[in-house]
Amino acid sequence: MRRNNQWVSNEHAGAIWVWLMCILSCASFALLVVELHSLWRYASQGAWVTTTRPDYSLALGLDIMLVAGMLLVARHWEMGEDIKRAWLHLWRWALAYLGVLAALFFSYGFNPALLLVVLGLGSYGFVVLGERQAQIQEIGVTIKRLAEGDTSAQLDEGPMRGDLREIAQNVNRLAHASAVAADERSEALRKSLIAEQEKLRADRLRTELIANVSHDLKTPLTSVINYADLLSTELSTSPGSRDEDKLSECADVLERQSQRLRKLIEDLIEASKAQTGNIAVHLMPLDAAVLVSQAAGEWSERLAERDIALVCETPDEPLMINADSRQMGRVFDNILGNVVKYGLPGTRAYFTARACGDGTIEMSCKNTSAAALNISADELLERFVRGDASRTTEGSGLGLSIAQSLMELQNGRLTLAVDADLFTVNLSFPGRRGDRDLAS
């Protein structure tokens, strides 16, 4: 039925409407039989003869008006669906009730006391049966929803009594257990999918690692072999016919490529130690602002040679953290070294330190990449991954991975952010609360 401009289901209203219509129908039927009997007597005997009280015609008219009023109420309150549901529950009982009233009327005539008793008992039984049938149907609908996989289906146990309340409680327990089981299955499936994705990602990274290591080792090693063979050939000639410029070039190339091989091998060893935690770390109170300023001073000249202006921004007050100064120097070297290798000439790089609202100390380095960064931040932290897919620049692709591991050894955190060609490295440490309060 409609209430406050909203339609809400109301089985009780539907049952009461059906019940009242049954009473009025019974009364109309009884009065109509009397009137038809009088009309038949008038037609057969030629005179109007009433065998009952003369106000029956008025009662019949009033009864018909009440029936019309009930129909108007049902239409105004939009009770069609409630009446339909109540009738589906109670039509057998309604017909039986009408039959009992008709039998009593024809057997005993109009007996007000008997009629009141029958009306009272019938009213009570009709309402109780209607409510019970509606609750049984609600239980059936809920069980059907559970069978179809809707684990959110629940029954309102409040209006139910006796065995129906116990059944409703058991259905709700079953729905809760089904919901928990469904959540567990979903969580297990989610974890399984994540594990499978991680496995596929690990396999892909392993393949890329082997390819990248092979490439990075093969390139300088090939140069060493070729120039060593060229040097050997040149040295096999007589001293007078040797090309000194070629000998000098071979020596320079051999030294440069051997240093590159040595640096790559050292980076491999350092990356392995950093990831396994086999590096000694001595934590002590350090001022992050001072560390950033010192690193900026050490690298500003090399960045200027690449036409990259380094902008250092630090606050005047100390930003105290617990860290290892030697390891932080290696972290800054790897980060600023990447700016030198991969930064876009003619741009600025920003190296800053600041205190965050949650108490952490954050150091960040932002620069514009010379190459398009068509790679995610997570992949850039993998070993042997570089910003240039062609791998024509110097470097092993291990710097950020080593820096991340060193930060984790110092209870810090390294994260990357890539926005088009803007590359940002964020270093965060939990701040030393006591030192900041003392400094302030």
Side-chain angles (χ1 to χ4, degrees):
M1 64 181 296
R2 180 166 295 278
R3 180 182 298 173
N4 296 329
N5 293 326
Q6 292 184 348
W7 193 91
V8 293
S9 179
N10 193 329
E11 293 87 356
H12 296 287
I16 292 172
W17 191 93
V18 171
W19 161 243
L20 291 176
M21 284 298 291
C22 287
I23 295 175
L24 294 175
S25 299
C26 290
S28 298
F29 177 75
L31 294 171
L32 187 60
V33 168
V34 174
E35 291 298 324
L36 289 176
H37 179 68
S38 299
L39 186 61
W40 177 77
R41 294 285 299 274
Y42 173 78
S44 62
Q45 299 180 12
W48 185 265
V49 179
T50 56
T51 58
T52 57
R53 295 167 55 181
D55 56 351
Y56 272 23
S57 298
L58 180 61
L60 178 60
L62 180 61
D63 190 75
I64 293 174
M65 292 177 60
L66 290 175
V67 170
M70 291 291 291
L71 294 175
L72 290 175
V73 167
R75 181 175 181 180
H76 176 74
W77 294 101
E78 299 182 12
M79 297 176 62
E81 189 65 28
D82 295 323
I83 294 170
K84 180 180 177 181
R85 293 177 63 182
W87 180 253
L88 289 176
H89 297 155
L90 302 171
W91 67 271
R92 299 178 183 86
W93 299 99
L95 292 179
Y97 178 68
L98 291 175
V100 171
L101 286 181
L104 290 174
F105 180 80
F106 287 111
S107 299
Y108 299 98
F110 182 76
N111 188 327
L114 181 61
L115 182 60
L116 288 175
V117 171
V118 173
L119 287 176
L121 293 176
S123 301
Y124 177 77
F126 207 74
V127 173
V128 170
L129 287 173
E131 183 179 8
R132 187 175 181 86
Q133 289 292 332
Q135 293 171 355
I136 291 174
Q137 185 189 32
E138 183 181 359
I139 292 173
V141 171
T142 303
I143 293 175
K144 183 179 180 181
R145 288 174 59 189
L146 288 174
E148 293 174 349
D150 183 5
T151 56
S152 64
Q154 288 285 323
L155 285 168
D156 184 8
E157 306 171 8
M160 299 186 183
R161 299 291 183 269
D163 55 345
L164 290 184
R165 187 186 186 97
E166 184 178 354
I167 293 174
Q169 291 174 347
N170 291 332
V171 171
N172 287 339
R173 292 192 192 100
L174 177 62
H176 176 71
S178 300
V180 171
D183 291 342
E184 291 177 351
R185 286 195 300 270
S186 299
E187 183 66 17
L189 180 60
R190 187 185 67 83
K191 291 181 179 179
S192 176
L193 290 175
I194 293 176
E196 187 66 24
Q197 291 173 355
E198 288 295 328
K199 181 181 178 182
L200 292 175
R201 181 170 175 270
D203 291 340
R204 178 177 60 81
L205 291 176
R206 188 184 302 111
T207 302
E208 293 178 357
L209 175 64
I210 295 173
N212 293 336
V213 170
S214 300
H215 178 275
D216 290 345
L217 288 175
K218 183 179 179 181
T219 300
L221 187 59
T222 301
S223 297
V224 169
I225 293 173
N226 291 337
Y227 277 90
D229 182 64
L230 182 61
L231 181 62
S232 176
T233 302
E234 193 66 26
L235 290 175
S236 64
T237 61
S238 59
S241 60
R242 294 174 183 173
D243 188 344
E244 296 297 331
D245 292 337
K246 184 177 291 185
L247 290 175
S248 178
E249 179 185 356
C250 290
D252 290 341
V253 171
L254 286 173
E255 181 182 5
R256 186 170 63 253
Q257 296 298 337
S258 60
Q259 290 294 334
R260 183 177 176 184
L261 276 174
R262 182 180 65 83
K263 181 66 168 59
L264 178 60
I265 293 173
E266 288 178 351
D267 285 347
L268 277 171
I269 296 173
E270 185 177 17
S272 177
K273 287 183 177 180
Q275 191 168 29
T276 57
N278 293 327
I279 293 181
V281 175
H282 304 286
L283 300 180
M284 61 184 67
L286 299 174
D287 187 352
V290 173
L291 293 176
V292 169
S293 299
Q294 290 177 348
E298 295 172 2
W299 281 88
S300 58
E301 184 176 349
R302 275 177 280 185
L303 287 167
E305 293 174 359
R306 286 274 295 163
D307 194 19
I308 298 176
L310 182 61
V311 180
C312 181
E313 298 177 351
T314 58
D316 295 333
E317 65 273 7
L319 303 175
M320 303 306 296
I321 59 174
N322 280 331
D324 186 319
S325 59
R326 181 170 176 271
Q327 304 305 335
M328 287 304 300
R330 297 167 73 179
V331 170
F332 290 147
D333 288 345
N334 287 337
I335 294 174
L336 295 174
N338 279 341
V339 178
V340 173
K341 296 171 189 173
Y342 305 114
L344 180 66
T347 61
R348 288 185 292 271
Y350 293 88
F351 198 27
T352 63
R354 67 187 183 94
C356 300
D358 58 356
T360 60
I361 305 299
E362 182 180 88
M363 296 163 279
S364 66
C365 180
K366 300 179 182 179
N367 71 285
T368 303
S369 172
L373 294 175
N374 298 321
I375 188 172
S376 68
D378 291 337
E379 290 178 315
L380 283 171
L381 286 172
E382 298 295 337
R383 295 182 179 185
F384 290 97
V385 175
R386 299 188 196 171
D388 61 330
S390 62
R391 307 185 71 80
T392 56
T393 56
E394 294 183 2
S396 61
L398 292 168
L400 290 176
S401 177
I402 293 173
Q404 184 185 39
S405 298
L406 291 176
M407 286 292 295
E408 291 174 354
L409 289 176
Q410 301 174 84
N411 301 320
R413 186 166 175 260
L414 183 148
T415 58
L416 301 182
V418 177
D419 184 5
D421 293 336
L422 179 62
F423 183 72
T424 305
V425 181
N426 293 313
L427 309 176
S428 59
F429 280 95
R432 290 171 54 90
R433 179 69 183 173
D435 293 337
R436 291 202 308 274
D437 293 343
L438 186 60
S440 60

